[in-house]
Amino acid sequence: MKSLKAIMLAGALATAASASAQFANTGSNTASTDLDDYNRISVSYNNTHFGFNKEAGGSDSDFGLNGFGLNYIHGFSVSSTLPMFVETGLNLNFGFGSDTGKKVDLYDGWIQANNKKQFINLQVPVNFAYKFAIADGVSVSPYVGLNFKFNLTGRMKADFDYGYDPEEYRNLDEFIEDNNLPDSEGDWLSVFSKDDMGSKDATWNRFQMGWHIGAGLQYNAFYLGVEYGTDFIPAFKYEKAKVNSSDLKISLGYCF
């Protein structure tokens, strides 16, 4: 993972260097880069992946969330001659996931779990961006930065489907009771609640910090961006057990 980060960071620096050269060579060409501060609002498609190490249950426990984000960024110009910017803002993200477990045969029936997950977080990014013109009214902005994540909601539930022999049981409730099985509809459990998770050691982290790399294409006031990052502070950690998280974001926005 460290080598992957190094490769991606090297790519970002190479892109920035290329951008600097192009900006410096524009001279009297019609393509020019705006050096003013800017604001950007956007909506995004988000994909979040949670990876479990061996001590936390292994890759069979991995899961992903699909969702959307509402994002605001302000870019501060840090040079009077070069299109270098420090960006910060606020992102509100919603993620949802569901999966169906394997059907498990019982002595006189079967059980299958339907797992559901819902997560909401606030993120504060701090980026270094370099904007350069590639045509009149068109610019590209590669960036690299840090991310501060505050998890507001993280909850999971398991519902169950059952099959049973109607000659053995009068109804589903009797089948569940006789086999000491969980109710077909489960309760939502917060991963941040020690009561729901069983102990404080089993709760997940409310705060995470990470890094990301990305690039945006701007045409006049319209913006299309892509970003990928991972977290330094895992979603969960206890002794050797760890759950790491990573995020992919595709944004469509408006600049002003």
Side-chain angles (χ1 to χ4, degrees):
M1 182 59 70
K2 290 183 178 179
S3 60
L4 175 61
K5 293 179 182 178
I7 292 170
M8 296 180 72
L9 183 57
L13 294 175
T15 304
S18 174
S20 178
Q22 179 157 346
F23 178 80
N25 291 331
T26 54
S28 60
N29 293 343
T30 57
S32 61
T33 305
D34 191 351
L35 303 181
D36 295 335
D37 292 4
Y38 54 86
N39 297 284
R40 183 171 67 247
I41 54 175
S42 65
V43 294
S44 60
Y45 160 74
N46 301 339
N47 178 269
T48 302
H49 180 262
F50 292 90
F52 291 63
N53 70 356
K54 181 176 65 174
E55 289 77 11
S59 58
D60 288 344
S61 300
D62 291 1
F63 66 90
L65 305 174
N66 292 302
F68 65 94
L70 306 175
N71 313 292
Y72 168 74
I73 286 290
H74 180 81
F76 297 90
S77 176
V78 294
S79 173
S80 60
T81 57
L82 295 174
M84 297 164 45
F85 300 87
V86 171
E87 299 180 331
T88 189
L90 187 65
N91 306 327
L92 178 61
N93 303 287
F94 303 83
F96 310 93
S98 63
D99 60 84
T100 301
K102 295 180 180 179
K103 185 181 291 187
V104 178
D105 291 327
L106 304 175
Y107 175 72
D108 47 10
W110 54 265
I111 180 174
Q112 188 173 35
N114 299 303
N115 305 301
K116 299 178 181 178
K117 307 166 184 72
Q118 297 177 354
F119 282 73
I120 303 173
N121 64 65
L122 278 173
Q123 298 184 20
V124 178
V126 179
N127 305 328
F128 174 77
Y130 198 108
K131 181 189 293 188
F132 61 100
I134 58 175
D136 214 14
V138 182
S139 62
V140 172
S141 302
Y143 62 88
V144 63
L146 297 176
N147 190 59
F148 303 90
K149 181 189 296 184
F150 302 88
N151 293 301
L152 304 178
T153 299
R155 61 180 193 164
M156 307 180 186
K157 70 178 294 190
D159 297 333
F160 296 93
D161 291 330
Y162 293 105
Y164 63 94
D165 185 350
E167 294 183 0
E168 295 286 336
Y169 301 96
R170 290 172 296 179
N171 53 49
L172 177 60
D173 291 338
E174 184 180 44
F175 172 70
I176 291 174
E177 183 177 352
D178 284 0
N179 288 276
N180 195 28
L181 298 171
D183 292 338
S184 57
E185 174 133 5
D187 297 323
W188 284 105
L189 302 177
S190 171
V191 299
F192 306 117
S193 168
K194 66 179 181 179
D195 294 331
D196 288 348
M197 301 306 291
S199 70
K200 185 176 180 180
D201 293 335
T203 59
W204 291 34
N205 292 323
R206 285 279 189 182
F207 173 76
Q208 294 180 261
M209 178 180 174
W211 76 284
H212 51 247
I213 190 170
L217 174 67
Q218 184 174 336
Y219 173 68
N220 292 330
F222 298 99
Y223 178 90
L224 177 65
V226 61
E227 175 183 299
Y228 175 78
T230 62
D231 292 310
F232 302 138
I233 299 176
F236 168 80
K237 187 177 188 305
Y238 176 68
E239 294 182 347
K240 293 184 178 181
K242 185 186 298 184
V243 179
N244 293 308
S245 55
S246 61
D247 295 283
L248 172 68
K249 174 179 288 191
I250 300 173
S251 304
L252 182 62
Y254 181 81
C255 304
F256 57 97

